[in-house]
Short mmCIF file of all heavy atoms in Angstrom, two decimals:
data_model
loop_
_atom_site.label_atom_id
_atom_site.label_comp_id
_atom_site.label_asym_id
_atom_site.label_seq_id
_atom_site.Cartn_x
_atom_site.Cartn_y
_atom_site.Cartn_z
N MET Y 88 -31.82 9.27 -49.05
CA MET Y 88 -30.96 9.02 -47.92
C MET Y 88 -31.78 9.23 -46.65
O MET Y 88 -32.34 10.28 -46.41
CB MET Y 88 -29.80 10.00 -47.98
CG MET Y 88 -28.82 9.77 -46.91
SD MET Y 88 -27.30 10.53 -47.44
CE MET Y 88 -27.00 11.56 -46.10
N THR Y 89 -31.82 8.22 -45.83
CA THR Y 89 -32.56 8.32 -44.57
C THR Y 89 -31.60 8.16 -43.41
O THR Y 89 -30.61 7.42 -43.49
CB THR Y 89 -33.63 7.22 -44.49
OG1 THR Y 89 -32.99 5.98 -44.51
CG2 THR Y 89 -34.64 7.36 -45.62
N THR Y 90 -31.88 8.88 -42.36
CA THR Y 90 -31.06 8.76 -41.16
C THR Y 90 -31.93 8.24 -40.03
O THR Y 90 -33.07 8.66 -39.87
CB THR Y 90 -30.45 10.13 -40.76
OG1 THR Y 90 -31.50 11.04 -40.55
CG2 THR Y 90 -29.49 10.62 -41.82
N ASP Y 91 -31.38 7.37 -39.28
CA ASP Y 91 -32.11 6.78 -38.16
C ASP Y 91 -31.76 7.58 -36.90
O ASP Y 91 -30.62 7.58 -36.46
CB ASP Y 91 -31.74 5.31 -38.01
CG ASP Y 91 -32.56 4.62 -36.95
OD1 ASP Y 91 -33.59 5.16 -36.51
OD2 ASP Y 91 -32.16 3.53 -36.57
N THR Y 92 -32.70 8.30 -36.34
CA THR Y 92 -32.45 9.10 -35.14
C THR Y 92 -32.91 8.41 -33.87
O THR Y 92 -32.87 8.99 -32.80
CB THR Y 92 -33.16 10.47 -35.26
OG1 THR Y 92 -34.55 10.24 -35.43
CG2 THR Y 92 -32.59 11.27 -36.41
N ALA Y 93 -33.35 7.18 -33.97
CA ALA Y 93 -33.80 6.45 -32.78
C ALA Y 93 -32.60 6.11 -31.91
O ALA Y 93 -31.52 5.82 -32.43
CB ALA Y 93 -34.53 5.18 -33.20
N PRO Y 94 -32.75 6.18 -30.61
CA PRO Y 94 -31.61 5.84 -29.74
C PRO Y 94 -31.22 4.39 -29.91
O PRO Y 94 -32.07 3.52 -30.15
CB PRO Y 94 -32.14 6.11 -28.34
CG PRO Y 94 -33.61 6.17 -28.46
CD PRO Y 94 -33.93 6.53 -29.86
N SER Y 95 -29.95 4.14 -29.82
CA SER Y 95 -29.48 2.76 -29.97
C SER Y 95 -29.89 1.95 -28.75
O SER Y 95 -29.91 2.45 -27.63
CB SER Y 95 -27.96 2.74 -30.14
OG SER Y 95 -27.35 3.25 -28.99
N ARG Y 96 -30.21 0.72 -28.98
CA ARG Y 96 -30.66 -0.16 -27.90
C ARG Y 96 -29.53 -1.11 -27.56
O ARG Y 96 -28.73 -1.49 -28.40
CB ARG Y 96 -31.89 -0.95 -28.34
CG ARG Y 96 -33.01 -0.03 -28.78
CD ARG Y 96 -34.19 -0.81 -29.15
NE ARG Y 96 -34.97 -0.94 -27.92
CZ ARG Y 96 -36.03 -1.70 -27.80
NH1 ARG Y 96 -36.43 -2.43 -28.79
NH2 ARG Y 96 -36.69 -1.74 -26.68
N ARG Y 97 -29.49 -1.48 -26.31
CA ARG Y 97 -28.49 -2.46 -25.88
C ARG Y 97 -28.85 -3.84 -26.44
O ARG Y 97 -30.02 -4.13 -26.61
CB ARG Y 97 -28.46 -2.55 -24.35
CG ARG Y 97 -27.78 -1.37 -23.73
CD ARG Y 97 -27.39 -1.73 -22.33
NE ARG Y 97 -28.16 -0.90 -21.41
CZ ARG Y 97 -28.29 -1.13 -20.13
NH1 ARG Y 97 -27.74 -2.18 -19.60
NH2 ARG Y 97 -28.98 -0.34 -19.37
N PRO Y 98 -27.84 -4.66 -26.65
CA PRO Y 98 -28.14 -6.02 -27.08
C PRO Y 98 -28.94 -6.75 -26.00
O PRO Y 98 -28.88 -6.42 -24.82
CB PRO Y 98 -26.76 -6.67 -27.26
CG PRO Y 98 -25.80 -5.55 -27.32
CD PRO Y 98 -26.42 -4.38 -26.64
N ALA Y 99 -29.67 -7.75 -26.42
CA ALA Y 99 -30.52 -8.49 -25.49
C ALA Y 99 -29.72 -9.19 -24.40
O ALA Y 99 -30.22 -9.42 -23.31
CB ALA Y 99 -31.36 -9.51 -26.27
N SER Y 100 -28.45 -9.51 -24.66
CA SER Y 100 -27.65 -10.22 -23.66
C SER Y 100 -27.32 -9.33 -22.46
O SER Y 100 -27.07 -9.82 -21.37
CB SER Y 100 -26.36 -10.74 -24.28
OG SER Y 100 -25.59 -9.65 -24.74
N ASP Y 101 -27.31 -8.00 -22.62
CA ASP Y 101 -26.97 -7.09 -21.53
C ASP Y 101 -28.18 -6.69 -20.69
O ASP Y 101 -28.03 -6.08 -19.64
CB ASP Y 101 -26.33 -5.82 -22.08
CG ASP Y 101 -24.91 -6.05 -22.53
OD1 ASP Y 101 -24.35 -7.09 -22.16
OD2 ASP Y 101 -24.37 -5.19 -23.25
N CYS Y 102 -29.38 -7.00 -21.11
CA CYS Y 102 -30.57 -6.52 -20.42
C CYS Y 102 -30.71 -7.10 -19.01
O CYS Y 102 -31.13 -6.40 -18.10
CB CYS Y 102 -31.82 -6.86 -21.23
SG CYS Y 102 -31.97 -5.86 -22.71
N GLY Y 103 -30.35 -8.35 -18.79
CA GLY Y 103 -30.56 -8.97 -17.49
C GLY Y 103 -29.38 -8.84 -16.55
O GLY Y 103 -29.46 -9.22 -15.39
N ARG Y 104 -28.28 -8.28 -17.02
CA ARG Y 104 -27.08 -8.21 -16.18
C ARG Y 104 -27.12 -6.97 -15.30
O ARG Y 104 -27.53 -5.90 -15.72
CB ARG Y 104 -25.84 -8.19 -17.05
CG ARG Y 104 -25.62 -9.53 -17.71
CD ARG Y 104 -24.44 -9.59 -18.63
NE ARG Y 104 -23.37 -8.66 -18.35
CZ ARG Y 104 -22.33 -8.51 -19.16
NH1 ARG Y 104 -22.26 -9.19 -20.26
NH2 ARG Y 104 -21.39 -7.66 -18.88
N HIS Y 105 -26.68 -7.14 -14.07
CA HIS Y 105 -26.57 -6.02 -13.14
C HIS Y 105 -25.10 -5.73 -12.90
O HIS Y 105 -24.26 -6.63 -12.91
CB HIS Y 105 -27.25 -6.36 -11.80
CG HIS Y 105 -28.71 -6.59 -11.93
ND1 HIS Y 105 -29.61 -5.57 -12.09
CD2 HIS Y 105 -29.43 -7.73 -11.92
CE1 HIS Y 105 -30.82 -6.07 -12.17
NE2 HIS Y 105 -30.75 -7.38 -12.09
N ARG Y 106 -24.80 -4.50 -12.64
CA ARG Y 106 -23.42 -4.12 -12.35
C ARG Y 106 -23.08 -4.53 -10.93
O ARG Y 106 -23.87 -4.34 -10.01
CB ARG Y 106 -23.24 -2.62 -12.52
CG ARG Y 106 -23.42 -2.20 -13.96
CD ARG Y 106 -23.29 -0.73 -14.12
NE ARG Y 106 -22.01 -0.28 -13.58
CZ ARG Y 106 -21.60 0.97 -13.61
NH1 ARG Y 106 -22.37 1.88 -14.13
NH2 ARG Y 106 -20.45 1.32 -13.10
N ASP Y 107 -21.90 -5.07 -10.77
CA ASP Y 107 -21.43 -5.51 -9.46
C ASP Y 107 -20.71 -4.34 -8.79
O ASP Y 107 -19.50 -4.16 -8.95
CB ASP Y 107 -20.50 -6.72 -9.61
CG ASP Y 107 -20.10 -7.30 -8.28
OD1 ASP Y 107 -20.72 -6.96 -7.26
OD2 ASP Y 107 -19.16 -8.11 -8.25
N VAL Y 108 -21.45 -3.54 -8.06
CA VAL Y 108 -20.89 -2.34 -7.44
C VAL Y 108 -19.96 -2.72 -6.29
O VAL Y 108 -18.89 -2.12 -6.12
CB VAL Y 108 -22.02 -1.41 -6.94
CG1 VAL Y 108 -21.46 -0.20 -6.26
CG2 VAL Y 108 -22.91 -1.02 -8.10
N VAL Y 109 -20.34 -3.71 -5.50
CA VAL Y 109 -19.51 -4.11 -4.36
C VAL Y 109 -18.19 -4.69 -4.85
O VAL Y 109 -17.12 -4.37 -4.32
CB VAL Y 109 -20.26 -5.13 -3.48
CG1 VAL Y 109 -19.37 -5.66 -2.38
CG2 VAL Y 109 -21.52 -4.50 -2.91
N GLY Y 110 -18.24 -5.52 -5.86
CA GLY Y 110 -17.01 -6.11 -6.40
C GLY Y 110 -16.09 -5.05 -6.98
O GLY Y 110 -14.86 -5.10 -6.79
N ALA Y 111 -16.65 -4.09 -7.69
CA ALA Y 111 -15.83 -3.02 -8.26
C ALA Y 111 -15.23 -2.15 -7.16
O ALA Y 111 -14.07 -1.73 -7.25
CB ALA Y 111 -16.68 -2.17 -9.20
N SER Y 112 -16.00 -1.90 -6.11
CA SER Y 112 -15.48 -1.11 -4.99
C SER Y 112 -14.35 -1.83 -4.28
O SER Y 112 -13.33 -1.22 -3.92
CB SER Y 112 -16.59 -0.80 -4.00
OG SER Y 112 -17.61 -0.06 -4.61
N LEU Y 113 -14.52 -3.12 -4.06
CA LEU Y 113 -13.46 -3.89 -3.40
C LEU Y 113 -12.21 -3.97 -4.26
O LEU Y 113 -11.08 -3.90 -3.74
CB LEU Y 113 -13.96 -5.29 -3.06
CG LEU Y 113 -14.97 -5.37 -1.93
CD1 LEU Y 113 -15.46 -6.81 -1.77
CD2 LEU Y 113 -14.38 -4.87 -0.63
N ALA Y 114 -12.37 -4.10 -5.56
CA ALA Y 114 -11.22 -4.13 -6.46
C ALA Y 114 -10.48 -2.79 -6.43
O ALA Y 114 -9.25 -2.74 -6.41
CB ALA Y 114 -11.66 -4.46 -7.87
N ALA Y 115 -11.23 -1.69 -6.41
CA ALA Y 115 -10.60 -0.37 -6.34
C ALA Y 115 -9.88 -0.18 -5.01
O ALA Y 115 -8.76 0.36 -4.96
CB ALA Y 115 -11.65 0.71 -6.53
N LEU Y 116 -10.49 -0.64 -3.92
CA LEU Y 116 -9.86 -0.54 -2.61
C LEU Y 116 -8.60 -1.40 -2.54
O LEU Y 116 -7.59 -0.99 -1.96
CB LEU Y 116 -10.85 -0.95 -1.53
CG LEU Y 116 -10.44 -0.75 -0.08
CD1 LEU Y 116 -10.21 0.73 0.19
CD2 LEU Y 116 -11.51 -1.30 0.85
N TRP Y 117 -8.64 -2.57 -3.13
CA TRP Y 117 -7.49 -3.47 -3.17
C TRP Y 117 -6.33 -2.81 -3.93
O TRP Y 117 -5.19 -2.81 -3.47
CB TRP Y 117 -7.91 -4.78 -3.84
CG TRP Y 117 -6.83 -5.80 -3.96
CD1 TRP Y 117 -6.39 -6.64 -3.00
CD2 TRP Y 117 -6.09 -6.11 -5.14
NE1 TRP Y 117 -5.41 -7.45 -3.51
CE2 TRP Y 117 -5.21 -7.14 -4.82
CE3 TRP Y 117 -6.10 -5.60 -6.43
CZ2 TRP Y 117 -4.33 -7.68 -5.75
CZ3 TRP Y 117 -5.22 -6.14 -7.35
CH2 TRP Y 117 -4.35 -7.16 -7.00
N GLY Y 118 -6.63 -2.22 -5.08
CA GLY Y 118 -5.60 -1.55 -5.86
C GLY Y 118 -5.04 -0.34 -5.14
O GLY Y 118 -3.82 -0.11 -5.15
N LEU Y 119 -5.91 0.43 -4.51
CA LEU Y 119 -5.46 1.60 -3.76
C LEU Y 119 -4.57 1.19 -2.58
O LEU Y 119 -3.56 1.84 -2.29
CB LEU Y 119 -6.66 2.40 -3.27
CG LEU Y 119 -6.36 3.69 -2.52
CD1 LEU Y 119 -5.66 4.68 -3.44
CD2 LEU Y 119 -7.64 4.29 -1.98
N GLY Y 120 -4.93 0.10 -1.92
CA GLY Y 120 -4.10 -0.41 -0.82
C GLY Y 120 -2.71 -0.80 -1.28
O GLY Y 120 -1.72 -0.55 -0.59
N HIS Y 121 -2.61 -1.40 -2.46
CA HIS Y 121 -1.30 -1.76 -2.99
C HIS Y 121 -0.47 -0.53 -3.33
O HIS Y 121 0.73 -0.49 -3.07
CB HIS Y 121 -1.45 -2.65 -4.22
CG HIS Y 121 -1.67 -4.09 -3.89
ND1 HIS Y 121 -2.86 -4.57 -3.43
CD2 HIS Y 121 -0.82 -5.14 -3.92
CE1 HIS Y 121 -2.75 -5.85 -3.22
NE2 HIS Y 121 -1.52 -6.24 -3.50
N ILE Y 122 -1.11 0.47 -3.88
CA ILE Y 122 -0.39 1.71 -4.21
C ILE Y 122 0.12 2.39 -2.95
O ILE Y 122 1.27 2.83 -2.88
CB ILE Y 122 -1.29 2.64 -5.03
CG1 ILE Y 122 -1.54 2.04 -6.41
CG2 ILE Y 122 -0.70 4.03 -5.14
CD1 ILE Y 122 -2.57 2.77 -7.23
N VAL Y 123 -0.71 2.45 -1.92
CA VAL Y 123 -0.30 3.08 -0.65
C VAL Y 123 0.83 2.27 -0.01
O VAL Y 123 1.81 2.85 0.49
CB VAL Y 123 -1.51 3.20 0.30
CG1 VAL Y 123 -1.07 3.57 1.70
CG2 VAL Y 123 -2.50 4.22 -0.24
N THR Y 124 0.74 0.94 -0.05
CA THR Y 124 1.79 0.10 0.53
C THR Y 124 3.12 0.31 -0.18
O THR Y 124 4.16 0.45 0.47
CB THR Y 124 1.38 -1.38 0.46
OG1 THR Y 124 0.15 -1.55 1.17
CG2 THR Y 124 2.44 -2.28 1.05
N LEU Y 125 3.09 0.34 -1.50
CA LEU Y 125 4.33 0.56 -2.24
C LEU Y 125 4.91 1.95 -1.97
O LEU Y 125 6.13 2.12 -1.86
CB LEU Y 125 4.09 0.37 -3.74
CG LEU Y 125 3.87 -1.08 -4.18
CD1 LEU Y 125 3.50 -1.12 -5.66
CD2 LEU Y 125 5.10 -1.91 -3.91
N ALA Y 126 4.04 2.94 -1.84
CA ALA Y 126 4.53 4.29 -1.54
C ALA Y 126 5.18 4.34 -0.16
O ALA Y 126 6.26 4.93 0.02
CB ALA Y 126 3.38 5.29 -1.61
N LEU Y 127 4.56 3.70 0.84
CA LEU Y 127 5.14 3.70 2.18
C LEU Y 127 6.46 2.92 2.22
O LEU Y 127 7.41 3.34 2.89
CB LEU Y 127 4.15 3.10 3.18
CG LEU Y 127 2.95 3.98 3.51
CD1 LEU Y 127 1.97 3.23 4.41
CD2 LEU Y 127 3.39 5.27 4.17
N LEU Y 128 6.53 1.81 1.50
CA LEU Y 128 7.79 1.07 1.45
C LEU Y 128 8.89 1.90 0.78
O LEU Y 128 10.05 1.86 1.19
CB LEU Y 128 7.60 -0.25 0.72
CG LEU Y 128 6.88 -1.33 1.49
CD1 LEU Y 128 6.61 -2.53 0.60
CD2 LEU Y 128 7.68 -1.77 2.70
N GLY Y 129 8.53 2.65 -0.24
CA GLY Y 129 9.50 3.51 -0.89
C GLY Y 129 10.00 4.62 0.03
O GLY Y 129 11.18 4.94 0.05
N ILE Y 130 9.09 5.18 0.81
CA ILE Y 130 9.48 6.23 1.76
C ILE Y 130 10.41 5.67 2.83
O ILE Y 130 11.42 6.28 3.17
CB ILE Y 130 8.22 6.87 2.39
CG1 ILE Y 130 7.46 7.69 1.35
CG2 ILE Y 130 8.59 7.73 3.59
CD1 ILE Y 130 6.09 8.14 1.80
N VAL Y 131 10.09 4.49 3.34
CA VAL Y 131 10.93 3.86 4.37
C VAL Y 131 12.30 3.53 3.79
O VAL Y 131 13.34 3.77 4.44
CB VAL Y 131 10.24 2.60 4.94
CG1 VAL Y 131 11.20 1.80 5.79
CG2 VAL Y 131 9.03 3.00 5.75
N ALA Y 132 12.36 2.99 2.58
CA ALA Y 132 13.64 2.66 1.97
C ALA Y 132 14.47 3.91 1.73
O ALA Y 132 15.68 3.93 1.97
CB ALA Y 132 13.41 1.92 0.66
N GLU Y 133 13.83 4.97 1.27
CA GLU Y 133 14.55 6.23 1.05
C GLU Y 133 15.10 6.78 2.36
O GLU Y 133 16.21 7.28 2.42
CB GLU Y 133 13.62 7.24 0.39
CG GLU Y 133 14.24 8.58 0.13
CD GLU Y 133 15.30 8.54 -0.95
OE1 GLU Y 133 15.24 7.66 -1.83
OE2 GLU Y 133 16.22 9.38 -0.89
N HIS Y 134 14.31 6.67 3.42
CA HIS Y 134 14.76 7.15 4.72
C HIS Y 134 15.94 6.33 5.24
O HIS Y 134 16.90 6.88 5.78
CB HIS Y 134 13.60 7.10 5.72
CG HIS Y 134 13.95 7.57 7.09
ND1 HIS Y 134 14.17 8.90 7.37
CD2 HIS Y 134 14.14 6.90 8.25
CE1 HIS Y 134 14.47 9.02 8.65
NE2 HIS Y 134 14.45 7.82 9.20
N GLN Y 135 15.88 5.01 5.08
CA GLN Y 135 16.94 4.15 5.58
C GLN Y 135 18.22 4.31 4.77
O GLN Y 135 19.32 4.19 5.31
CB GLN Y 135 16.50 2.68 5.54
CG GLN Y 135 15.44 2.33 6.55
CD GLN Y 135 15.94 2.40 7.97
OE1 GLN Y 135 17.10 2.10 8.24
NE2 GLN Y 135 15.09 2.83 8.87
N LEU Y 136 18.11 4.56 3.48
CA LEU Y 136 19.29 4.64 2.63
C LEU Y 136 19.84 6.05 2.53
O LEU Y 136 20.87 6.26 1.90
CB LEU Y 136 18.95 4.13 1.23
CG LEU Y 136 18.56 2.65 1.16
CD1 LEU Y 136 18.15 2.29 -0.25
CD2 LEU Y 136 19.69 1.77 1.64
N GLY Y 137 19.18 7.01 3.15
CA GLY Y 137 19.67 8.38 3.12
C GLY Y 137 21.00 8.49 3.86
O GLY Y 137 21.25 7.81 4.85
N GLY Y 138 21.90 9.35 3.37
CA GLY Y 138 23.23 9.45 3.95
C GLY Y 138 23.35 10.45 5.09
O GLY Y 138 24.44 10.61 5.62
N ASP Y 139 22.30 11.10 5.48
CA ASP Y 139 22.43 12.13 6.50
C ASP Y 139 22.14 11.63 7.91
O ASP Y 139 21.90 12.43 8.80
CB ASP Y 139 21.52 13.32 6.17
CG ASP Y 139 20.07 12.92 6.00
OD1 ASP Y 139 19.82 11.72 5.80
OD2 ASP Y 139 19.20 13.81 6.06
N HIS Y 140 22.20 10.33 8.13
CA HIS Y 140 22.01 9.78 9.48
C HIS Y 140 23.37 9.60 10.14
O HIS Y 140 24.28 9.02 9.54
CB HIS Y 140 21.30 8.43 9.42
CG HIS Y 140 19.93 8.51 8.82
ND1 HIS Y 140 18.90 9.19 9.40
CD2 HIS Y 140 19.44 8.00 7.68
CE1 HIS Y 140 17.83 9.09 8.66
NE2 HIS Y 140 18.14 8.38 7.59
N PRO Y 141 23.55 10.08 11.36
CA PRO Y 141 24.84 9.87 12.02
C PRO Y 141 25.04 8.39 12.36
O PRO Y 141 24.10 7.67 12.71
CB PRO Y 141 24.74 10.71 13.29
CG PRO Y 141 23.27 10.86 13.52
CD PRO Y 141 22.61 10.82 12.17
N VAL Y 142 26.27 7.94 12.24
CA VAL Y 142 26.60 6.55 12.53
C VAL Y 142 26.85 6.44 14.03
O VAL Y 142 27.60 7.22 14.61
CB VAL Y 142 27.84 6.11 11.73
CG1 VAL Y 142 28.21 4.68 12.07
CG2 VAL Y 142 27.58 6.27 10.25
N ALA Y 143 26.21 5.48 14.64
CA ALA Y 143 26.39 5.28 16.08
C ALA Y 143 27.77 4.72 16.37
O ALA Y 143 28.30 3.92 15.61
CB ALA Y 143 25.32 4.34 16.61
N MET Y 144 28.35 5.15 17.47
CA MET Y 144 29.64 4.65 17.86
C MET Y 144 29.48 3.22 18.38
O MET Y 144 28.52 2.93 19.09
CB MET Y 144 30.23 5.54 18.97
CG MET Y 144 31.67 5.19 19.31
SD MET Y 144 32.35 6.26 20.58
CE MET Y 144 32.28 7.83 19.77
N PRO Y 145 30.39 2.34 18.02
CA PRO Y 145 30.28 0.96 18.50
C PRO Y 145 30.35 0.92 20.03
O PRO Y 145 31.04 1.72 20.65
CB PRO Y 145 31.49 0.26 17.90
CG PRO Y 145 31.96 1.13 16.80
CD PRO Y 145 31.51 2.52 17.12
N PRO Y 146 29.66 -0.01 20.65
CA PRO Y 146 29.65 -0.07 22.12
C PRO Y 146 31.02 -0.27 22.74
O PRO Y 146 31.29 0.21 23.82
CB PRO Y 146 28.75 -1.26 22.42
CG PRO Y 146 27.96 -1.48 21.19
CD PRO Y 146 28.76 -0.95 20.06
N ALA Y 147 31.94 -0.95 22.08
CA ALA Y 147 33.26 -1.20 22.65
C ALA Y 147 34.04 0.09 22.83
O ALA Y 147 34.82 0.23 23.76
CB ALA Y 147 34.03 -2.17 21.78
N ARG Y 148 33.85 1.05 21.94
CA ARG Y 148 34.57 2.32 22.06
C ARG Y 148 33.83 3.29 22.97
O ARG Y 148 34.43 4.20 23.50
CB ARG Y 148 34.73 2.94 20.69
CG ARG Y 148 35.66 2.17 19.79
CD ARG Y 148 35.85 2.92 18.50
NE ARG Y 148 36.65 2.13 17.57
CZ ARG Y 148 36.79 2.41 16.31
NH1 ARG Y 148 36.18 3.47 15.81
NH2 ARG Y 148 37.52 1.66 15.54
N ALA Y 149 32.55 3.13 23.12
CA ALA Y 149 31.77 4.06 23.91
C ALA Y 149 31.98 3.83 25.41
O ALA Y 149 32.12 4.77 26.17
CB ALA Y 149 30.29 3.93 23.58
N LEU Y 150 32.01 2.59 25.84
CA LEU Y 150 32.17 2.26 27.26
C LEU Y 150 33.34 1.28 27.41
O LEU Y 150 33.33 0.21 26.80
CB LEU Y 150 30.89 1.62 27.82
CG LEU Y 150 29.65 2.51 27.77
CD1 LEU Y 150 28.42 1.71 28.19
CD2 LEU Y 150 29.82 3.70 28.68
N PRO Y 151 34.32 1.61 28.21
CA PRO Y 151 35.44 0.66 28.40
C PRO Y 151 34.98 -0.56 29.18
O PRO Y 151 34.04 -0.51 29.99
CB PRO Y 151 36.47 1.47 29.18
CG PRO Y 151 35.71 2.58 29.78
CD PRO Y 151 34.51 2.83 28.92
N ASP Y 152 35.66 -1.69 28.95
CA ASP Y 152 35.33 -2.94 29.62
C ASP Y 152 35.93 -3.02 31.02
O ASP Y 152 35.55 -3.88 31.80
CB ASP Y 152 35.84 -4.13 28.81
CG ASP Y 152 35.02 -4.33 27.54
OD1 ASP Y 152 33.89 -3.78 27.49
OD2 ASP Y 152 35.50 -5.00 26.63
N HIS Y 153 36.88 -2.18 31.35
CA HIS Y 153 37.56 -2.27 32.65
C HIS Y 153 37.63 -0.90 33.30
O HIS Y 153 37.41 0.12 32.67
CB HIS Y 153 38.97 -2.84 32.49
CG HIS Y 153 39.76 -2.08 31.46
ND1 HIS Y 153 40.27 -0.83 31.66
CD2 HIS Y 153 40.14 -2.41 30.19
CE1 HIS Y 153 40.91 -0.41 30.60
NE2 HIS Y 153 40.84 -1.37 29.68
N GLU Y 154 37.96 -0.92 34.55
CA GLU Y 154 38.11 0.34 35.28
C GLU Y 154 39.42 1.00 34.84
O GLU Y 154 40.41 0.33 34.58
CB GLU Y 154 38.20 0.04 36.79
CG GLU Y 154 36.91 -0.47 37.39
CD GLU Y 154 35.82 0.58 37.40
OE1 GLU Y 154 36.12 1.76 37.64
OE2 GLU Y 154 34.66 0.20 37.14
N PRO Y 155 39.40 2.32 34.73
CA PRO Y 155 40.64 2.99 34.33
C PRO Y 155 41.72 2.85 35.40
O PRO Y 155 41.42 2.80 36.59
CB PRO Y 155 40.22 4.45 34.16
CG PRO Y 155 38.88 4.58 34.79
CD PRO Y 155 38.30 3.22 34.91
N ALA Y 156 42.96 2.74 34.95
CA ALA Y 156 44.09 2.59 35.89
C ALA Y 156 44.34 3.93 36.58
O ALA Y 156 44.24 4.99 35.99
CB ALA Y 156 45.34 2.17 35.13
N VAL Y 157 44.67 3.82 37.86
CA VAL Y 157 44.90 5.03 38.64
C VAL Y 157 46.37 5.31 38.73
O VAL Y 157 47.25 4.63 38.74
CB VAL Y 157 44.31 4.89 40.06
CG1 VAL Y 157 44.53 6.17 40.84
CG2 VAL Y 157 42.87 4.53 39.97
#
């Protein structure tokens, strides 16, 4: 029984290829931007749909259209 202790070699097809660092960085930045955008939209929606905001009085009830009768 023999064991081969030599390090494994990459296939010949991978020898000439270079890693695209810029493309991978841009893809990661693109994905991170989408995650941040969705998080901010969720925060805004939660804020708008929250029930603890006072309802503004309609303008017709706040200010009369005519002078008060004397």
Side-chain angles (χ1 to χ4, degrees):
M88 184 159 125
T89 62
T90 58
D91 186 14
T92 59
S95 62
R96 303 182 91 188
R97 286 199 246 165
S100 62
D101 286 345
C102 288
R104 290 178 26 188
H105 297 284
R106 294 178 56 178
D107 186 14
V108 178
V109 174
S112 299
L113 289 176
L116 187 62
W117 179 80
L119 183 64
H121 277 76
I122 291 172
V123 169
T124 301
L125 288 174
L127 288 175
L128 285 173
I130 290 169
V131 169
E133 179 69 27
H134 180 73
Q135 290 293 326
L136 296 176
D139 56 342
H140 298 295
V142 178
M144 188 179 297
R148 292 185 185 168
L150 298 173
D152 289 342
H153 52 74
E154 292 292 323
V157 182

